[in-house]
Amino acid sequence: MSYDVLVIGAGLAGLVAATEAAERGLKVCVVDQEGEQNLGGQAFWSLGGLFLVDSPEQRRLGIRDSFELARQDWFGSAGFDRVEDYWPRHWAEAYLEFAAGEKRDWLHRQGVRWFPVVGWAERGGSLADGHGNSVPRFHVTWGTGPAVLAPFVRRARMAEQNGRLVFCFRHQVDQLIVTNGAVTGARGSILATDPAPRGAATSRAVVGEFELTAGAVVVTSGGIGGNHDLVRKNWPVQRLGPPPKSMVAGVPQYVDGRMLDIARAAGGEIINGDRMWHYTEGLRNFDPIWPNHGIRILPGPSSFWCDASGNRFAAPAMPGFDTLATLKAIRAKGEEYSWFVLNKAIIKREFALSGSEQNPDLTDKNIRLLLKRLGKNPPGPVQAFMDKGEDFVVRDTLEDLVVGMNELTGEHRIGIHHLRSQVEARDREIDNAFNKDAQVTAIRGARNYLGDRLMRTAKPHRLLDPKAGPLIAVRLHILTRKTLGGLHTDLSSRVLDDTNKPVPGLYAAGEVAGFGGGGVHGYNALEGTFLGGCLFSGRIAGRSVGA
């Protein structure tokens, strides 16, 4: 079969690219190695957070944001310093204009809405022109990830009904077809039908072969987070220390990075492969959907955070402030995990879990259930992990808590006197409105923001106050998530070769292209920027291909 456009990957970036191209009158085929039940890919499992600049939601909460401030934050975080960052820099400028301009209206016209309280993720905790969001910008979609996907699934199904778009599920691309130097299609394996639930591992049994030709090919196949061997191979040892021996998977197994080498074999260049984004607050899921399934805690700022030996991390390695600084602090000593120490007063206010399935109130748009977040107990999904998760220890006294922590790991590395001295030192800083502890100062600063004071930051109090108990310790695993580098693309989403010339007929969007340019985030991300990167780069690819 022959098409105008072949899109490889039916995730968010692929759906956006396919629908934009189809609505320009092009005949589009979308192939994916997974079944129809996985339409939408990783985005379905997300919290639906989107990075917006100077939005109505921000202004209603008294947040003064601007393009200039967002640019300062983005470039301070990205740290672009390589020759190959030329196109990523241009993508960053273009994306910031989109986030401060058309992005919200474009989505709003398609029916997307947002929770009114804007989240403050990845706060930085260092210099004004360094890493982090200076203001809250994390806009949670009302309906979470599935609601971000919904307009594009709807548009794709409409194009399918009108004969402009065809889906080919369980089609695994093994090779891009190159004719006279141009990419003209793909060939590969037809995989056996597998009714496994969305996100679960599926069979790789081959039942046939296929070959599809097209005027152009758009690769939107995602990153490498489900392939831990590939993560370790690309791990930036000099920046983050040695790669972990043990990690939990924040993405399904099919996020395997196969298409990167396949696109490279067709002439595409991969840049910034050592830039990646993994979280340090991972839990082992007691009810896993995919192999080694991990869930990330979205923490407020108050938990005491220490390494596997009970040594408290220094700023900016504080909860919710600087992800990669904390990852570096953990791996610098070769540690595989770390600990939160907190209490019930903190967990009920500050703990949220990432993922659509972990937030039924937001995902199902259930206001009655949402109001329970303001109650006396932790949200239901958090309580379920406290009751059933293997990483939680709940005790009434610090001595008993330390015993439980040591029993959980079997390593007996936490000393009660060492931990108590640090916790009590922190607690002494609570008695005054002024102090020298960076985390306590950050907690008080967070509560100056109405959204944090209402929903995300507990009132400052002593961790060892019995009225705030019981005490809780949470073992935190490193959780794989996003690829920040990828296929090198220009501002038309054309894949470039190693001489910076476009590979004829080859385009890329989404995570496989580093969310644009081969690394629009540089070294660090600001959160709410991954779905947005898929939306923006997918839109550009769909509007550029075949032009």
Side-chain angles (χ1 to χ4, degrees):
M1 293 292 292
S2 183
Y3 300 89
D4 295 318
V5 181
L6 176 63
V7 177
I8 302 172
L12 178 59
L15 287 173
V16 176
T19 53
E20 291 285 337
E23 289 166 10
R24 292 172 48 223
L26 301 176
K27 188 177 181 181
V28 179
C29 177
V30 180
V31 302
D32 197 287
Q33 65 185 1
E34 296 305 307
E36 189 168 5
Q37 68 271 35
N38 280 289
L39 182 63
Q42 296 179 64
F44 177 89
W45 301 106
S46 75
L47 190 58
L50 293 172
F51 177 96
L52 298 172
V53 178
D54 193 25
S55 69
E57 290 78 15
Q58 288 176 300
R59 292 193 292 270
R60 280 194 289 268
L61 290 166
I63 300 166
R64 298 180 180 179
D65 201 4
S66 67
F67 173 85
E68 292 76 17
L69 184 60
R71 188 185 188 280
Q72 173 179 298
D73 290 346
W74 191 289
F75 278 79
S77 297
F80 294 124
D81 61 0
R82 297 173 176 174
V83 172
E84 55 266 39
D85 284 332
Y86 175 84
W87 283 114
R89 284 176 180 270
H90 282 275
W91 272 90
E93 293 279 6
Y95 179 72
L96 285 165
E97 291 177 2
F98 179 62
E102 189 181 357
K103 180 180 179 181
R104 185 186 183 280
D105 288 344
W106 179 61
L107 292 170
H108 193 274
R109 289 195 303 270
Q110 298 182 75
V112 180
R113 300 293 184 267
W114 294 274
F115 186 61
V117 178
V118 182
W120 195 355
E122 204 63 18
R123 306 178 190 213
S126 186
L127 301 178
D129 58 355
H131 172 60
N133 284 296
S134 299
V135 298
R137 296 192 179 102
F138 191 77
H139 296 67
V140 175
T141 302
W142 187 232
T144 66
V148 177
L149 280 169
F152 305 100
V153 172
R154 182 175 63 249
R155 289 169 59 185
R157 291 304 191 188
M158 186 176 298
E160 185 181 32
Q161 292 174 10
N162 294 335
R164 297 195 305 271
L165 188 150
V166 173
F167 284 109
C168 292
F169 296 104
R170 299 298 283 165
H171 280 54
Q172 177 182 274
V173 172
D174 299 321
Q175 182 184 15
L176 295 177
I177 300 170
V178 180
T179 306
N180 297 324
V183 175
T184 58
R187 60 173 63 96
S189 306
I190 301 174
L191 304 180
T193 300
D194 192 325
R198 178 189 284 271
T202 57
S203 168
R204 288 295 178 263
V206 176
V207 297
E209 297 178 345
F210 73 90
E211 182 170 311
L212 298 167
T213 60
V217 173
V218 184
V219 179
T220 59
S221 54
I224 66 174
N227 184 339
H228 288 189
D229 289 338
L230 198 53
V231 169
R232 294 186 184 97
K233 180 180 178 181
N234 287 280
W235 190 272
V237 175
Q238 289 187 340
R239 289 202 315 278
L240 297 180
K245 298 176 182 177
S246 173
M247 297 180 283
V248 293
V251 294
Q253 192 174 44
Y254 59 71
V255 186
D256 54 20
R258 290 183 72 253
M259 281 305 303
L260 285 164
D261 279 341
I262 292 170
R264 178 158 49 192
E269 183 186 31
I270 298 170
I271 62 172
N272 299 319
D274 62 326
R275 293 178 181 171
M276 53 186 68
W277 188 259
H278 306 304
Y279 292 110
T280 51
E281 312 100 330
L283 304 172
R284 290 197 180 277
N285 195 345
F286 65 88
D287 186 20
I289 296 170
W290 53 80
N292 193 27
H293 187 175
I295 296 293
R296 185 203 172 199
I297 297 170
L298 300 172
S302 301
S303 295
F304 176 98
W305 202 346
C306 63
D307 67 17
S309 297
N311 300 302
R312 187 184 180 193
F313 293 125
M318 301 181 293
F321 279 79
D322 192 329
T323 293
L324 292 191
T326 310
L327 180 58
K328 181 178 180 179
I330 293 169
R331 295 305 301 150
K333 298 181 180 179
E335 305 283 10
E336 298 287 316
Y337 63 91
S338 60
W339 290 99
F340 276 167
V341 176
L342 61 156
N343 54 39
K344 183 179 178 181
I346 292 173
I347 203 169
K348 73 177 184 179
R349 178 63 67 91
E350 297 195 6
F351 266 36
L353 301 174
S354 182
S356 56
E357 82 285 7
Q358 298 296 331
N359 294 273
D361 49 357
L362 295 169
T363 301
D364 297 337
K365 304 179 182 180
N366 188 323
I367 295 176
R368 181 186 59 82
L369 190 59
L370 179 67
L371 291 174
K372 290 187 176 181
R373 293 191 184 228
L374 302 177
K376 296 182 179 180
N377 295 306
V382 174
Q383 186 65 56
F385 268 90
M386 290 177 65
D387 296 338
K388 303 175 185 178
E390 67 178 65
D391 297 308
F392 282 76
V393 180
V394 182
R395 298 289 191 273
D396 289 326
T397 68
L398 190 61
E399 285 77 9
D400 288 343
L401 190 75
V402 168
V403 170
M405 294 165 72
N406 286 328
E407 288 178 346
L408 176 61
T409 64
E411 296 179 350
H412 300 280
R413 297 174 64 177
I414 307 293
I416 178 60
H417 298 297
H418 181 53
L419 186 62
R420 177 178 286 280
S421 66
Q422 296 173 90
V423 171
E424 288 181 343
R426 177 192 181 280
D427 278 1
R428 292 186 191 101
E429 299 288 302
I430 296 295
D431 290 340
N432 295 288
F434 42 87
N435 69 92
K436 69 177 182 180
D437 189 287
Q439 185 182 13
V440 176
T441 299
I443 294 166
R444 297 190 190 282
R447 285 180 61 84
N448 287 328
Y449 167 49
L450 178 62
D452 273 358
R453 189 164 68 250
L454 288 175
M455 299 192 68
R456 292 290 287 150
T457 305
K459 185 178 180 179
H461 64 276
R462 291 177 177 247
L463 285 175
L464 299 183
D465 183 347
K467 293 181 291 186
L471 292 169
I472 302 163
V474 188
R475 179 177 57 181
L476 306 172
H477 305 268
I478 294 168
L479 178 144
T480 60
R481 186 58 65 85
K482 295 298 179 186
T483 310
L484 298 187
L487 291 170
H488 196 186
T489 60
D490 65 13
L491 266 179
S492 295
S493 287
R494 298 180 299 179
V495 175
L496 306 176
D497 64 18
D498 58 7
T499 67
N500 286 327
K501 294 180 180 179
V503 178
L506 186 59
Y507 297 74
E511 190 175 354
V512 75
F515 301 95
V520 67
H521 296 96
Y523 290 97
N524 289 287
L526 290 176
E527 294 289 18
T529 55
F530 300 130
L531 291 179
C534 289
L535 292 166
F536 184 57
S537 61
R539 191 173 90 145
I540 287 179
R543 294 182 178 188
S544 300
V545 67

